[in-house]
């Protein structure tokens, strides 16, 4: 999958040292004519106050990058609205002056989605951080875009409820909706696409819409077009999400985690498929290959055997856990798996899953001074053993460092490609590998991105995946909602 800012340019045209560590101001199609900013900045300040607008270089650079390898593309100005009304007023000003709008949550994305390719205005939404409506008896809540996953679960701590979608990073919940994020719990609880009931969205012209109707939060509906899922995964290209209404779940009576090692990648992945085929409602089932588990051991001072490994977690009543664990152990042992190493109390489980969530940093620690890029393919479960085995062979054949970790319960896995940006031969080999991997997934009826989104680097692959007619329909929707192409231009399409 290409890292290039335009599909026609190669990866290695961009992956230089400066791409990783510098912010550069580039010529921008939408930059105002001389004197234009002198009129616009006071208008912004009249909406969100003197402290709600910044032209500072450091602030702009901070808002022009995420966690990806794509180089920083700073906006011309950053604004901090405090309400949906302020977002709407700011959008109307931008629309009038033909200024691009780039929404910004926490900056934890992995596909360059916050870069201001054409300059413009970054809407930093961190000051909109209220939990607006909690309906405990209905298992739903509405939050503003400054509320993060961990922040919401902290708020819910004494209610017996939680929001389980867990991408690892403490991301903004509206940002998670914008990228259709998921994570380790998706096998049991679904992705953001299944857990968003309604969205409040400010369109490019400042109009405010509610995708399921103002204030509505039914558990299901067949009323009209599914506008909610149109905006989930739209990556800020159709509008600014200013509120999301989410499904909540009861905190399970009991949770237990386990670690199991296997003699081969095939055995570990076969076990995953068989556990799901038997109907075990497993909450998490994560795969780490031998390179990744070694990296996690070193980084987190652990001592798991260096072999293909599954991290598992079971949720339910005490009695139901016994049955889930028994069935799963029978399957893993039939595939040559080790006895389970248990993590029963909250502290031990927390250490285990912290090790999994630290996989990115553990991989980077294998080669200090290098940079990383995470692939994100997803395939049907039956194709999972084949693609992981072929990917491991590809990595070894091409002498690449790419430890594998994945949410294999839903067919999604990541190669964390660790590379020296100054070694152009290695950069080229990584680029060629990621292209092969993405197309291997497409050939197996999968997708080039399971949860990270398209952003900058996967636009060409999206065309291959969807086909020209589907892309034309998407472009038509974009043109209808954003005829001036002001919403996060240059992303997705």
């Amino acid at each position: 999958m290409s890292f290039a800012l335009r599909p026609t340019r190669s990866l290695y045209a961009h992956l230089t040292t400066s791409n990783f560590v510098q912010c550069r101001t580039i010529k921008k199609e939408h930059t105002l004519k001389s004197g234009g900013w002198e009129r616009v900045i006071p208008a912004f300040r009249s909406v969100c106050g003197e402290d709600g607008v910044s032209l500072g270089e450091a602030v702009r650079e901070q808002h022009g990058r995420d966690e990806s390898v794509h180089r920083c593309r700073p906006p011309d100005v950053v604004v901090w609205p405090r309400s949906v009304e302020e977002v709407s007023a700011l959008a109307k000003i931008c629309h009038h002056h033909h200024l691009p709008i780039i929404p910004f949550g926490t900056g934890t994305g992995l596909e360059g989605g916050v870069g201001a390719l054409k300059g413009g205005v970054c809407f930093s939404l961190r000051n909109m951080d209220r939990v607006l409506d909690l309906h405990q008896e209905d298992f739903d809540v509405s939050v503003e875009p400054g509320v993060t996953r961990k922040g919401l679960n902290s708020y819910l701590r004494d209610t017996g409820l939680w929001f389980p979608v867990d991408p690892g990073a403490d991301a903004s919940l509206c940002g998670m909706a914008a990228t259709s994020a998921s994570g380790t719990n998706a096998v049991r609880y679904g992705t953001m696409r299944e857990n968003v009931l309604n969205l409040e969205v400010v369109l490019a012209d400042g109009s405010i819409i509610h995708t399921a109707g103002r204030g509505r939060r039914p558990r299901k509906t067949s009323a009209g077009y599914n506008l909610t899922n149109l905006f989930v995964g739209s990556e800020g290209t159709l509008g600014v999400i200013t509120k999301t209404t989410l499904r909540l779940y009861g905190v399970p009576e009991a949770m237990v985690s386990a670690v199991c090692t296997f003699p081969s990648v095939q055995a570990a992945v076969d076990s995953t498929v068989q556990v799901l085929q038997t109907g075990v409602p497993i909450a998490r089932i994560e795969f780490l290959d031998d390179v990744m588990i070694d990296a996690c051991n070193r980084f987190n001072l652990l001592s798991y055997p260096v072999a293909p490994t599954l991290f598992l977690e079971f949720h339910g009543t005490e009695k139901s856990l016994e049955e889930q664990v028994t069935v799963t152990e029978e399957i893993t042992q039939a595939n040559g798996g080790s006895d389970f190493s248990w993590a029963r109390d909250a502290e031990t489980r927390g250490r285990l899953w912290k090790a999994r969530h630290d996989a990115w940093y553990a991989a980077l620690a294998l080669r200090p001074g290098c940079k990383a890029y995470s692939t994100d393919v997803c395939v049907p479960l039956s194709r999972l053993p084949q693609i992981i085995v072929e990917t491991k062979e590809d990595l070894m054949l091409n002498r690449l460092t790419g430890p594998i970790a994945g949410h294999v319960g839903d067919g999604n896995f990541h190669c964390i490609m660790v590379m020296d940006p100054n070694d152009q031969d290695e950069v080229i080999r990584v680029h060629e590998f990621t292209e092969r991997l993405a197309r291997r997934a497409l050939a197996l009826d999968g997708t080039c991105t399971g949860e990270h989104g398209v952003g900058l680097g996967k636009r060409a692959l999206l065309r291959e995946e969807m086909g020209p007619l589907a892309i034309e329909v998407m472009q038509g929707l974009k043109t209808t909602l954003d005829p001036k192409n002001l919403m996060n231009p240059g992303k997705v399409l």
Side-chain angles (χ1 to χ4, degrees):
M1 53 197 64
S2 170
F3 301 88
L5 297 178
R6 298 177 178 86
T8 55
R9 296 183 65 184
S10 67
L11 163 74
Y12 36 93
H14 296 276
L15 292 189
T16 63
T17 305
S18 62
N19 292 147
F20 285 109
V21 300
Q22 296 181 4
C23 274
R24 292 184 176 181
T25 301
I26 61 172
K27 185 176 180 181
K28 297 154 183 167
E29 294 178 22
H30 289 267
T31 298
L32 288 177
K33 295 179 181 179
S34 177
W37 286 113
E38 284 76 3
R39 296 189 299 272
V40 171
I41 298 302
F44 287 161
R45 287 178 173 147
S46 72
V47 173
C48 48
E50 194 74 24
D51 295 337
V53 181
S54 178
L55 298 167
E57 183 178 358
V59 172
R60 292 189 298 110
E61 291 181 356
Q62 177 190 350
H63 288 82
R65 65 161 70 91
D66 56 15
E67 297 291 335
S68 72
V69 298
H70 298 288
R71 67 184 174 95
C72 177
R73 308 294 286 267
D76 294 301
V77 60
V78 180
V79 296
W80 287 271
R82 296 159 293 192
S83 66
V84 62
E85 291 78 16
E86 290 189 1
V87 173
S88 175
L90 292 167
K92 289 176 181 177
I93 296 169
C94 292
H95 190 261
H96 177 74
H97 291 279
H98 296 263
L99 293 172
I101 297 169
I102 304 95
F104 188 97
T106 55
T108 55
L110 294 171
E111 296 297 338
V114 299
L117 303 189
K118 299 181 179 180
V121 185
C122 173
F123 284 35
S124 183
L125 302 167
R126 70 183 187 194
N127 289 341
M128 296 174 64
D129 59 357
R130 294 178 299 164
V131 176
L132 296 172
D133 295 294
L134 171 62
H135 301 97
Q136 291 181 237
E137 66 281 7
D138 296 324
F139 295 83
D140 65 63
V141 67
S142 296
V143 299
E144 290 185 325
V147 179
T148 66
R149 173 183 63 85
K150 289 182 180 179
L152 175 60
N153 280 326
S154 177
Y155 180 90
L156 296 171
R157 184 175 296 135
D158 297 326
T159 67
L161 301 174
W162 72 314
F163 184 70
V165 180
D166 178 7
D170 188 22
S172 156
L173 289 160
C174 288
M176 288 167 60
T179 57
S180 192
S182 54
T184 57
N185 283 315
V187 63
R188 172 76 174 264
Y189 299 100
T191 70
M192 288 301 287
R193 200 171 291 280
E194 290 80 45
N195 286 286
V196 174
L197 299 174
N198 199 350
L199 294 170
E200 178 184 77
V201 182
V202 176
L203 301 180
D205 65 358
S207 302
I208 302 171
I209 69 166
H210 298 84
T211 57
R214 180 185 290 273
R216 305 203 181 279
R217 48 191 178 85
R219 302 293 284 186
K220 64 179 183 178
T221 176
S222 57
Y225 299 135
N226 192 337
L227 296 181
T228 301
N229 271 355
L230 174 62
F231 285 90
V232 172
S234 62
E235 302 184 39
T237 61
L238 301 180
V240 181
I241 298 175
T242 52
K243 181 170 69 174
T244 179
T245 301
L246 302 167
R247 295 177 184 267
L248 298 177
Y249 296 80
V251 175
E253 175 188 312
M255 299 184 186
V256 63
S257 299
V259 177
C260 182
T261 59
F262 292 85
S264 68
V265 172
Q266 184 80 44
V269 182
D270 283 347
S271 293
T272 300
V273 174
Q274 291 164 22
V275 167
L276 295 172
Q277 287 173 336
T278 60
V280 175
I282 198 159
R284 308 193 215 197
I285 184 162
E286 297 284 300
F287 171 77
L288 292 83
D289 73 352
D290 54 335
V291 181
M292 181 58 81
I293 198 70
D294 184 44
C296 289
N297 280 342
R298 295 169 185 241
F299 188 76
N300 294 282
L301 303 178
L302 301 171
S303 56
Y304 293 120
V306 178
T309 300
L310 290 179
F311 284 11
L312 309 102
E313 186 161 280
F314 306 89
H315 294 175
T317 63
E318 293 286 356
K319 186 174 182 179
S320 70
L321 288 192
E322 291 180 15
E323 183 180 358
Q324 292 179 44
V325 168
T326 298
V327 172
T328 304
E329 279 188 311
E330 289 175 356
I331 291 170
T332 57
Q333 289 175 2
N335 284 289
S338 67
D339 291 337
F340 282 2
S341 173
W342 293 104
R344 298 182 184 277
D345 62 275
E347 183 179 351
T348 308
R349 283 190 293 106
R351 283 200 302 270
L352 187 155
W353 291 109
K354 181 179 184 302
R356 168 61 186 91
H357 287 317
D358 284 346
W360 175 272
Y361 305 103
L364 277 172
L366 291 173
R367 297 178 63 186
C370 289
K371 299 294 180 180
Y373 172 78
S374 177
T375 68
D376 184 39
V377 299
C378 185
V379 297
L381 281 177
S382 63
R383 306 295 182 91
L384 192 59
Q386 177 185 344
I387 193 171
I388 290 186
V389 169
E390 290 178 358
T391 298
K392 286 283 288 182
E393 292 171 351
D394 196 345
L395 286 166
M396 290 185 285
L397 181 65
N398 289 281
R399 310 182 317 281
L400 294 171
T401 304
I404 295 175
H407 321 304
V408 289
D410 47 22
N412 182 208
F413 71 95
H414 312 294
C415 295
I416 302 178
M417 306 306 299
V418 185
M419 58 189 165
D420 179 357
N422 297 312
D423 183 342
Q424 288 302 300
D425 175 68
E426 183 178 27
V427 167
I428 292 169
R429 285 185 285 116
V430 168
H431 166 63
E432 293 173 344
F433 166 81
T434 58
E435 292 284 320
R436 283 194 303 274
L437 174 56
R439 291 191 170 94
R440 189 179 296 129
L442 296 183
L444 294 173
D445 304 324
T447 177
C448 65
T449 177
E451 60 184 11
H452 294 168
V454 175
L456 290 173
K458 300 188 182 118
R459 290 176 298 172
L461 288 165
L462 179 67
R463 296 189 72 87
E464 293 182 33
E465 180 173 328
M466 302 302 297
L469 186 56
I471 293 294
E472 186 178 331
V473 172
M474 290 184 188
Q475 189 63 63
L477 291 167
K478 166 75 169 170
T479 301
T480 298
L481 292 169
D482 181 20
K484 295 183 179 181
N485 191 28
L486 299 181
M487 292 305 311
N488 209 9
K491 316 297 168 48
V492 183
L493 299 173

